[in-house]
């Protein structure tokens, strides 16, 4: 008697809220320090990560000490993606309303699989399904599923296409698989994103047997090089090339595909939201003629991680491809989210996506995109004036840069990454190293761009 059990401890942690208060204090400290924080962790911060190398604790630990350790050694080893000078990959910032809504939903701890598990998660998923279609200019009855990112969203769209193409030929891929199935052709931009190749591999479609269409100097499919299409073909296009930000010619290619009865999937991880801006929607002209689309919340839209969105013109194709059964799965007449994605249990991403879109509204999504493009074009102009060589037409948020020689480019990139002032990644472009600047944060200001350009000039050393 008298010994405090772990359950007593957990109950008291929950009731007295002290851990939440402590976490809140650390979080606020982090927010207030972000502008002065090195954009990439210092060597010391990284060396200190060794404190996490410990064996599984044998006994119950103190919750407050755990948060303290995380704050002391974890926070300094974060990359400052929520500051204004992180330009790596296509990693977005997070909009405050969405982060706050996420906090609330974390406490709710909802499982979004079925309506009966969380009516609110289902309701908001149904609401954002309509909103996403509306903002992107797609048909109002477009189906949507929420997954971890565009990698999985691409796979879902391709799975829906695989199912539909085979079904038209009397073949049920869910039941019969691919052995002995009628052949599916895959026609894809030779410069498709890595996640597309991975999705093709996972779906049994292979990533070498496909027909790769040559791309131009911006990474866009050369339309004249498109092969003859037919009704057994999956065509994969791209809205936002990961290095140049370029867009395939959806209007022309979808016309070819639709005439032939082929399925078109568009990978629009960060670029598809251009459709929501009057200034940028020329880039996405014709996307509504495709059959499925993938786009991220967590990139240019700046939702919290993780939030990937698959959209499909043919609801049945998506839900049949994602079908699952089980006698205990209590389906309702309302929306059951798990029938739109590969997952069953998952968190309620719909809550923060809804908060993001409700906060921004149509005008806000457009402005968010427009401002990122404006910042990328400031990089273009200032770097060009400073003697850097811009490799791409800066139509979206990507600015791809080289110095005078490959060696100078590589050294400049390494030095700027170590500077702590800004961080961006590299890529190989036309066989040589390039510096890849991706503006993906709502909080990047013209001053952040100027400061980052100065850091690049300094890193170049002349
Ligand atoms: C980032 C990206 C992906 C993968 O998205 P994740 O959300 O990281 O899974 C796919 N395609 C393109 C063009 C991307 O930029």
């Amino acid at each position: 008697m008298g010994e405090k059990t772990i359950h007593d401890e957990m109950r008291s942690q929950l009731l007295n809220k002290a851990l939440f208060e402590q976490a809140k204090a650390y979080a606020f400290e982090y927010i207030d320090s972000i502008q002065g924080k090195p954009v990439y962790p210092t060597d010391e911060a990284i060396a200190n990560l060794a404190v996490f190398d410990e064996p599984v604790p044998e006994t119950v630990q103190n919750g407050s000490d755990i948060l303290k350790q995380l704050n002391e050694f974890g926070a300094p080893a974060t990359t400052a993606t929520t500051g204004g000078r992180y330009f790596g990959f296509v990693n977005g910032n997070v909009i405050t309303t969405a982060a706050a809504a996420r906090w609330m939903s974390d406490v709710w701890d909802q499982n979004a699989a079925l309506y009966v598990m969380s009516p609110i998660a289902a309701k908001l998923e149904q609401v954002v399904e309509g909103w996403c279609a509306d903002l992107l200019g797609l048909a109002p009855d477009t189906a949507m599923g929420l997954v971890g990112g565009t990698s999985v969203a691409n796979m879902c769209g391709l799975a829906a296409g695989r199912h539909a193409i085979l079904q038209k030929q009397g073949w049920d891929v869910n039941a019969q698989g691919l052995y002995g199935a009628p052949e599916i052709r895959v026609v894809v931009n030779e410069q498709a994103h890595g996640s597309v190749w991975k999705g093709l591999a996972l779906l049994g479609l292979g990533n070498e047997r496909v027909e790769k269409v040559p791309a131009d100097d911006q990474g866009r499919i050369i339309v004249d090089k498109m092969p003859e299409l037919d009704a057994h073909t999956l065509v994969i296009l791209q809205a936002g090339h990961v290095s140049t930000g370029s867009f395939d010619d959806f209007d022309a290619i979808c016309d070819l595909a639709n005439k032939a009865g082929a399925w078109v999937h568009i990978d629009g991880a960060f670029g598809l939201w251009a459709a929501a801006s009057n200034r940028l929607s020329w880039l996405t002209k014709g996307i509504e003629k495709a059959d499925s689309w993938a786009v991220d919340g967590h990139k240019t839209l700046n939702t919290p991680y993780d939030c990937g969105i698959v959209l499909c013109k043919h609801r049945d194709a998506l839900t049949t491809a994602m079908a699952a059964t089980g006698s205990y799965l209590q389906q309702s007449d309302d929306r059951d989210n798990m029938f739109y994605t590969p997952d069953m249990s998952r968190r309620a991403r719909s809550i923060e996506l809804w908060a993001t879109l409700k906060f921004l509204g149509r005008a806000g999504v457009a402005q968010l995109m427009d401002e990122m493009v404006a910042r990328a074009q400031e990089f273009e102009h200032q770097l060009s004036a400073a003697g850097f060589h811009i490799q791409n037409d800066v139509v979206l948020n990507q600015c791809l840069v080289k110095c005078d020689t490959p060696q100078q480019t590589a050294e400049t990139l390494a030095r700027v990454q170590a500077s702590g002032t800004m961080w961006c990644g590299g890529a190989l472009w036309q066989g040589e190293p390039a510096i890849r600047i991706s503006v993906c944060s709502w909080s990047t200001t013209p001053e952040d761009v100027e400061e980052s350009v100065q850091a690049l000039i300094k890193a170049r050393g002349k």
Side-chain angles (χ1 to χ4, degrees):
M1 289 291 284
E3 179 112 344
K4 207 175 168 200
T5 69
I6 185 171
H7 292 84
D8 293 333
E9 173 64 15
M10 290 193 287
R11 207 160 285 115
S12 87
Q13 282 186 353
L14 182 64
L15 293 179
N16 81 19
K17 322 278 187 309
L19 291 177
F20 289 124
E21 292 293 351
Q22 189 182 343
K24 187 172 98 171
Y26 290 149
F28 287 1
E29 205 175 278
Y30 186 85
I31 289 170
D32 291 338
S33 70
I34 196 73
Q35 282 305 329
K37 190 177 146 27
V39 178
Y40 194 83
T42 61
D43 291 344
E44 189 194 352
I46 288 176
N48 285 343
L49 288 173
V51 303
F52 293 103
D53 293 325
E54 48 185 356
V56 178
E58 294 298 336
T59 56
V60 176
Q61 304 288 300
N62 177 285
S64 173
D65 290 346
I66 290 170
L67 297 187
K68 186 159 176 284
Q69 181 184 3
L70 197 56
N71 184 54
E72 218 168 297
F73 300 103
T78 57
T79 51
T81 53
T82 57
R85 295 186 309 279
Y86 183 89
F87 307 102
F89 307 94
V90 203
N91 287 352
N93 192 347
V94 63
I95 288 170
T96 306
T97 305
R102 165 72 177 268
W103 274 16
M104 287 174 63
S105 72
D106 279 345
V107 171
W108 295 351
D109 194 33
Q110 298 290 284
N111 185 337
L114 292 171
Y115 182 88
V116 292
M117 292 179 183
S118 180
I120 178 62
K123 181 67 193 175
L124 292 182
E125 200 157 313
Q126 184 204 334
V127 169
V128 292
E129 179 179 73
W131 287 5
C132 285
D134 186 350
L135 288 165
L136 295 168
L138 308 178
D141 56 349
T142 301
M144 182 205 75
L146 293 182
V147 291
T150 290
S151 300
V152 179
N154 276 336
M155 204 182 72
C156 294
L158 296 175
R162 181 183 73 163
H163 165 78
I165 287 171
L166 291 176
Q167 190 189 39
K168 270 192 288 185
Q169 297 172 75
W171 187 271
D172 177 355
V173 69
N174 287 357
Q176 296 167 272
L178 285 176
Y179 295 107
E183 191 158 335
I184 297 178
R185 288 174 60 205
V186 176
V187 170
V188 53
N189 185 331
E190 65 173 358
Q191 293 192 22
H193 187 267
S195 63
V196 167
W197 308 113
K198 184 174 179 173
L200 288 170
L202 286 167
L203 289 168
L205 295 170
N207 50 31
E208 279 184 15
R209 61 173 279 282
V210 300
E211 298 165 55
K212 298 178 188 173
V213 191
D216 66 13
D217 64 347
Q218 299 296 311
R220 293 172 296 216
I221 280 182
I222 300 170
V223 179
D224 289 345
K225 303 268 173 152
M226 280 292 291
E228 200 68 39
L229 302 177
D230 58 36
H232 311 174
T233 308
L234 257 175
V235 179
I236 306 172
L237 307 179
Q238 171 158 278
H241 182 289
V242 77
S243 287
T244 67
S246 71
F247 291 66
D248 285 327
D249 185 343
F250 308 115
D251 210 36
I253 299 171
C254 288
D255 281 347
L256 296 174
N258 288 345
K259 212 156 73 192
W263 179 286
V264 180
H265 174 79
I266 299 177
D267 170 7
F270 60 93
L272 207 67
W273 295 112
S277 153
N278 288 334
R279 277 196 217 161
L280 303 173
S281 59
W282 61 278
L283 293 164
T284 56
K285 186 164 185 282
I287 56 165
E288 72 286 353
K289 298 179 191 172
D291 298 281
S292 58
W293 307 263
V295 60
D296 270 323
H298 55 227
K299 287 182 174 167
T300 44
L301 192 64
N302 285 198
T303 69
Y305 289 101
D306 46 13
C307 180
I309 303 166
V310 56
L311 295 147
C312 187
K313 184 179 278 174
H314 317 281
R315 187 169 297 267
D316 281 354
L318 181 63
T319 54
T320 311
M322 299 296 144
T325 51
S327 60
Y328 72 101
L329 293 174
Q330 189 188 335
Q331 284 193 49
S332 68
D333 296 333
D334 296 288
R335 184 188 172 93
D336 290 312
N337 300 327
M338 64 172 275
F339 300 116
Y340 294 81
T341 70
D343 311 90
M344 186 176 293
S345 295
R346 62 177 164 86
R347 61 184 201 82
R349 301 182 177 99
S350 60
I351 295 171
E352 64 249 26
L353 179 57
W354 167 81
T356 303
L357 294 176
K358 173 137 181 155
F359 167 70
L360 291 171
R362 199 184 301 279
V365 176
Q367 211 179 331
L368 186 65
M369 292 301 291
D370 291 349
E371 289 296 314
M372 286 177 193
V373 179
R375 296 296 87 75
Q377 290 173 344
E378 288 162 15
F379 267 113
E380 176 192 16
H381 299 139
Q382 292 172 32
L383 288 172
S384 170
F388 289 86
H389 309 290
I390 311 295
Q391 303 294 305
N392 64 325
D393 299 336
V394 182
V395 293
L396 204 71
N397 62 331
Q398 305 292 121
C399 184
L400 194 62
V401 188
K402 286 181 183 172
C403 301
D404 291 341
T405 64
Q407 190 190 348
Q408 193 183 34
T409 303
E411 288 172 4
T412 302
L413 179 61
R415 280 194 289 260
V416 87
Q417 286 180 338
S419 74
T421 306
M422 66 93 85
W423 200 92
C424 61
L428 274 186
W429 186 243
Q430 280 151 7
E432 288 177 355
I435 295 168
R436 196 179 152 281
I437 298 165
S438 177
V439 182
C440 213
S441 163
W442 65 264
S443 69
T444 299
T445 61
E447 293 71 34
D448 286 319
V449 174
E450 279 169 31
E451 206 176 317
S452 301
V453 167
Q454 289 311 313
L456 280 161
I457 293 171
K458 192 168 163 217
R460 186 180 54 178
K462 68 172 168 106

